[in-house]
Amino acid sequence: MHRISAGRGVARALTATTAAALALSLAACGGGSGGGSKDDGKKADPAAVQGALDKPAEITFWTWVPNIDKTVALFEKKHPNVKVHVTNVGQSKDQYTKLTTALKAGNGAPDVAQIEYFALPQFALTKSLVNLADYGAADLKDKFAASAWSQVNVAGGIYGVPQDTGPMAMFYRKDVLEKLGATPPKTWEEFTALAKKVHDADPNNYVTYVDPGDAGTSNSMVWDFGGKPYTVSGTTDVTVNLKDDAGAKAYANTWGPLIKDKLVDSTGSWNDEWWKSMAAGKYALWMAGAWAPAVLEKNIPQAKGQWAVAPMPGGVSAENGGSSVAVTTQAKNKEASVAFAEWLNSDPEAVKSLNSEVGLFPATKALLEDPGFRGADVPYFPGQKPNEVFADMSKAVRPEWQYLPFQVYANSVFKDTVGQALQPGGDLTGALGSWQDRIKSYGKEQGFTIK
Amino acid sequence: MRRGAVRRNVTAHAFFLPFLAVFVIGVIAPLVYAINLSLYQEKMIGGTVFTGLDNYTKAFKDELFHVGLGRVALFFAIQVPLMLILALLAALAIDSGRLRAPGVFRIGIFMPYAVPGVVAALMWGYLYGDRFGLAGEIGDLFHTELPDLLSEHWMLASIGNVVTWSYVGYNMLIFYAALRSIPEELYEAAEMDGAGAFRKAWSIKLPALRPALLMTTTFSVIGTFQLFNEPSILQQLAPAVITTNYTPNMYAYNLAFDGRQFNYSAAIAVLLGLVTVLVAYAVQLVTTRRERML
């Protein structure tokens, strides 16, 4: 049987090489082990920043904000010498993956990149971003809402210009609450009572949902309950306290029983099923950042007029999402890049465009306090002034929250730990403990002093 | 004479060179690079240090890695035999000459393979949904509640279903090609000896399929142990069920791109490659031994 043994030889050769090659192509994607930031020997010059926009320059800008090219076009009109190449390489995690790889490889990173607040410390501490304070960015402080500015301050430097913020507010279905004769809850006790009411009226409906894969919202909830589970001092000392932190405990004590009694739904979000549920009125409330109106309008335009906005229960708030614009250490023309990032997010004309044409919730004080902005009509919410609620929530954000310098990783293992408890039968308090353990052991491995 | 031999050698090497270049760049270099990467440890605080085999010792004790490995092994033990038997039956049926339009069957069964894995997972994800998906609607139709196919108990089976759907056609085609290469004379001789259709299938077709079976099993070993696309897509729908270490490949991905632990991730990838080679080799050993026994 010669044919058979020949076939076996081929198969064997295939086995050894293909198997190994397939397995390792993944590792190869990891990029160079060296690389990272290279000091180009030039000193930062704050005075050169403004003049940089009069000279010819090209800037690459990674962002996933839809329609931001409108604001960029404004910039190019004002500064015809500067050409900005806007590229969308993916949203959030996808972009960070590419950015991490490019920064590691030593080339291929953009000059300017959108980075969410929670990811900023990670990129700042790995020396991937330019400290904007060296270029005089400290002067911008008074232009921005305190809750935004504090989030770009990392380890004594300024690593991004705030672009948008996401103070949390409570979105509710007018039709659902009306049918139950209920009003939007003003306290967390009222929220718990409403949860029972909604579910009793129809076992298919819930007051709201929890997403076992959404670390961001849970962090914001802990923040909203007054928690400060992460503390970073200097660049190497990190305290993680999710187990005993008062805010984390309050969060677990409010949400834990609701999850246990199946009074809130446990579901993945932002997928097709979830949007259908949102449109159908399955959830009476949705607590989300002030960016939500744009997303609602885009995904469930048919629900226009059914949603309304109210302050968070308890009247205090937390940030949920929001991005800054940062300059990478690979930027070829740092002065022009810094000047562009500053203009885009602080020039009065630019921030107006970002809000009205791009749909971002503002980070600048001037716009947040502008009566024209506060009283603006939002077609999705007829007869309401949603911006007024958002602007008040922005002021009500609890101060002094900090993210971990490796929040991207911490958030990624959220589903392995806390996510397990965000479904019926889970033990939320215990799960916060196991999340803490995973975070701590990772931090130690990365060379941090962990307490 | 000698000069002629040298010239012949040079010509041979010249023909061999393009392959060698691609092989070195595409296979050997990444392998060496990954192995090298796995011997270091890079910290956010403290930079890169040579740690020898530390990453490997860590992996041997890493329960998160073991859980994922156990899961794909289970998947391999159940899904692969099922898929190959289905593919085999389809190939035998098409080859039997008793189907009315064998071409339609062949293309129909092969078609899912042309659907990209990510799209297939997305599509099945919609179908599995117990609220607005097909599963939910069937449940409503019969006024019962179907089991949640995206729950912890069903997830692996649901993924197995997607993979089977995608690859039955591909494996069927390999079997079918092997069946077509059997010389007609063998069948004629068997008929002379009074063999019926089943006897022919058992005594001629199945033995002739052994090399094809070895190949499909080998590919399946590789595919299974590298399972990544389907669980990654379904993770969106069931984040608590599909954890970051659901399969070893997902674990390596999470380590590298969320945790920036490129070195440890490389070690995991090297070990996963080794395990894959070992299992594939074991499959070959078993098949070869059977062959000798016959």
Side-chain angles (χ1 to χ4, degrees):
Chain A
M1 291 291 259
H2 254 95
R3 210 156 43 83
I4 288 177
S5 48
R8 198 175 65 227
V10 170
R12 176 168 295 167
L14 276 169
T15 315
T17 52
T18 333
L22 285 181
L24 291 168
S25 58
L26 185 80
C29 293
S33 57
S37 63
K38 277 189 199 78
D39 206 342
D40 51 11
K42 273 201 299 185
K43 260 261 164 109
D45 181 9
V49 169
Q50 276 321 305
L53 294 182
D54 299 329
K55 283 175 250 161
E58 286 200 30
I59 296 169
T60 50
F61 177 27
W62 282 7
T63 173
W64 63 87
V65 175
N67 298 327
I68 200 161
D69 40 314
K70 288 180 184 161
T71 315
V72 171
L74 267 182
F75 172 83
E76 288 184 320
K77 219 166 105 195
K78 280 234 156 136
H79 303 280
N81 286 326
V82 184
K83 177 93 193 77
V84 181
H85 305 279
V86 177
T87 316
N88 179 354
V89 299
Q91 184 160 345
S92 192
K93 217 189 114 199
D94 295 337
Q95 188 204 284
Y96 303 145
T97 301
K98 294 197 176 86
L99 196 58
T100 307
T101 314
L103 288 164
K104 219 167 152 35
N107 66 67
D111 301 303
V112 182
Q114 172 189 4
I115 296 177
E116 286 157 287
Y117 298 118
F118 82 90
L120 202 59
Q122 171 154 334
F123 286 102
L125 278 181
T126 48
K127 308 227 169 0
S128 311
L129 302 177
V130 170
N131 182 358
L132 302 177
D134 296 344
Y135 292 86
D139 299 345
L140 293 172
K141 184 184 177 202
D142 291 337
K143 291 196 174 184
F144 290 98
S147 66
W149 190 253
S150 69
Q151 294 192 83
V152 295
N153 273 268
V154 180
I158 298 163
Y159 287 94
V161 186
Q163 178 164 69
D164 70 321
T165 56
M168 268 192 146
M170 189 170 67
F171 297 80
Y172 64 94
R173 288 283 295 232
K174 282 194 285 188
D175 51 339
V176 173
L177 291 195
E178 249 162 51
K179 220 165 53 191
L180 294 170
T183 51
K186 289 199 174 58
T187 63
W188 286 105
E189 290 75 37
E190 285 182 34
F191 171 77
T192 307
L194 181 66
K196 288 195 185 84
K197 204 170 186 177
V198 173
H199 198 60
D200 286 348
D202 183 344
N204 282 319
N205 292 346
Y206 296 93
V207 66
T208 190
Y209 71 95
V210 286
D211 179 352
D214 183 359
T217 301
S218 283
N219 271 327
S220 297
M221 277 298 160
V222 172
W223 182 346
D224 187 89
F225 279 92
K228 285 177 196 122
Y230 320 119
T231 347
V232 187
S233 42
T235 52
T236 56
D237 287 0
V238 175
T239 313
V240 186
N241 184 14
L242 284 154
K243 219 188 240 165
D244 302 314
D245 177 83
K249 269 191 173 156
Y251 157 74
N253 290 339
T254 303
W255 287 85
L258 292 174
I259 295 160
K260 194 172 141 263
D261 299 340
K262 297 189 189 174
L263 292 175
V264 293
D265 192 20
S266 168
T267 177
S269 55
W270 297 85
N271 55 52
D272 191 50
E273 274 221 329
W274 179 77
W275 277 119
K276 281 182 180 154
S277 302
M278 290 288 280
K282 187 181 173 77
Y283 307 120
L285 308 175
W286 183 34
M287 291 176 210
W291 37 259
V295 202
L296 282 171
E297 195 172 353
K298 191 178 159 222
N299 288 285
I300 44 170
Q302 71 272 29
K304 175 182 167 181
Q306 285 170 327
W307 289 92
V309 189
M312 286 292 282
V316 286
S317 187
E319 289 286 336
N320 177 227
S323 297
S324 65
V325 173
V327 177
T328 72
T329 41
Q330 280 181 23
K332 285 167 280 300
N333 186 338
K334 297 210 169 62
E335 286 79 15
S337 300
V338 172
F340 166 68
E342 290 183 359
W343 185 93
L344 184 71
N345 302 305
S346 68
D347 181 270
E349 205 181 324
V351 296
K352 261 209 176 104
S353 156
L354 283 180
N355 174 246
S356 60
E357 293 184 286
V358 183
L360 294 182
F361 189 77
T364 55
K365 275 185 197 163
L367 200 53
L368 283 168
E369 283 156 15
D370 178 4
F373 165 77
R374 289 178 65 103
D377 284 321
V378 180
Y380 197 79
F381 301 91
Q384 298 178 65
K385 305 271 179 255
N387 286 350
E388 219 158 73
V389 180
F390 299 143
D392 290 346
M393 284 292 101
S394 171
K395 272 198 185 141
V397 168
R398 289 183 191 261
E400 287 167 42
W401 172 273
Q402 280 185 310
Y403 282 114
L404 290 168
F406 40 87
Q407 195 72 43
V408 177
Y409 174 79
N411 283 2
S412 79
V413 296
F414 174 84
K415 60 171 98 62
D416 297 1
T417 51
V418 180
Q420 300 299 313
L422 293 184
Q423 45 186 354
D427 161 25
L428 194 48
T429 314
L432 283 166
S434 47
W435 194 24
Q436 171 175 321
D437 294 341
R438 281 285 285 275
I439 295 174
K440 277 188 168 177
S441 70
Y442 176 84
K444 272 182 207 141
E445 271 173 25
Q446 291 295 323
F448 290 93
T449 315
I450 302 279
K451 269 178 270 171
Chain B
M1 277 297 277
R2 283 193 65 201
R3 281 183 68 183
V6 168
R7 196 180 304 142
R8 260 206 310 282
N9 253 336
V10 170
T11 318
H13 279 108
F15 273 107
F16 181 56
L17 209 62
F19 166 76
L20 192 70
V22 172
F23 186 71
V24 167
I25 294 169
V27 178
I28 303 291
L31 260 168
V32 171
Y33 182 73
I35 291 170
N36 181 48
L37 207 58
S38 71
L39 302 177
Y40 291 84
Q41 198 191 356
E42 190 195 358
K43 297 178 173 185
M44 284 172 84
I45 307 294
T48 308
V49 279
F50 181 81
T51 52
L53 295 176
D54 278 9
N55 283 326
Y56 291 94
T57 5
K58 188 178 160 196
F60 276 113
K61 287 186 235 151
D62 189 346
E63 205 169 306
L64 295 169
F65 176 47
H66 300 163
V67 168
L69 211 52
R71 189 172 283 120
V72 288
L74 176 70
F75 187 89
F76 172 72
I78 296 171
Q79 186 266 340
V80 172
L82 266 176
M83 173 181 68
L84 293 184
I85 288 170
L86 282 176
L88 188 65
L89 290 177
L92 286 172
I94 292 169
D95 186 61
S96 69
R98 286 164 192 239
L99 294 178
R100 188 147 296 169
V104 175
F105 279 95
R106 212 166 63 213
I107 300 231
I109 297 174
F110 183 70
M111 196 80 90
Y113 181 68
V115 177
V118 172
V119 177
L122 277 173
M123 195 184 80
W124 280 100
Y126 289 135
L127 296 179
Y128 288 153
D130 69 339
R131 278 176 205 150
F132 295 98
L134 186 69
E137 278 173 20
I138 290 175
D140 287 347
L141 200 66
F142 293 102
H143 300 288
T144 60
E145 205 150 304
L146 293 182
D148 182 0
L149 298 171
L150 296 171
S151 66
E152 208 181 326
H153 298 292
W154 285 90
M155 184 54 87
L156 203 59
S158 298
I159 294 172
N161 177 51
V162 180
V163 176
T164 308
W165 179 82
S166 295
Y167 288 95
V168 158
Y170 172 77
N171 290 308
M172 176 273 291
L173 217 59
I174 294 176
F175 288 140
Y176 180 69
L179 287 174
R180 297 309 290 169
S181 68
I182 299 172
E184 277 296 314
E185 299 87 70
L186 273 179
Y187 294 135
E188 282 163 19
E191 256 164 57
M192 293 275 238
D193 289 343
F198 281 99
R199 183 67 209 232
K200 275 193 280 182
W202 185 255
S203 301
I204 301 176
K205 295 185 180 182
L206 283 184
L209 279 175
R210 201 167 290 124
L213 190 66
L214 178 63
M215 188 159 99
T216 49
T217 315
T218 305
F219 283 149
S220 302
V221 171
I222 297 168
T224 313
F225 280 83
Q226 318 265 343
L227 197 62
F228 182 79
N229 278 347
E230 290 82 5
S232 300
I233 297 290
L234 294 177
Q235 192 173 51
Q236 300 283 322
L237 300 174
V241 176
I242 299 187
T243 52
T244 50
N245 61 320
Y246 198 74
T247 71
N249 241 359
M250 291 182 73
Y251 186 46
Y253 180 87
N254 173 257
L255 288 173
F257 295 116
D258 296 323
R260 308 167 71 109
Q261 292 170 307
F262 294 100
N263 308 98
Y264 185 45
S265 171
I268 295 277
V270 169
L271 284 178
L272 178 61
L274 281 178
V275 170
T276 313
V277 170
L278 281 178
V279 175
Y281 189 68
V283 165
Q284 291 193 9
L285 273 189
V286 171
T287 323
T288 325
R289 191 169 300 159
R290 280 238 190 86
E291 206 167 286
R292 281 210 199 99
M293 274 160 56
L294 285 173

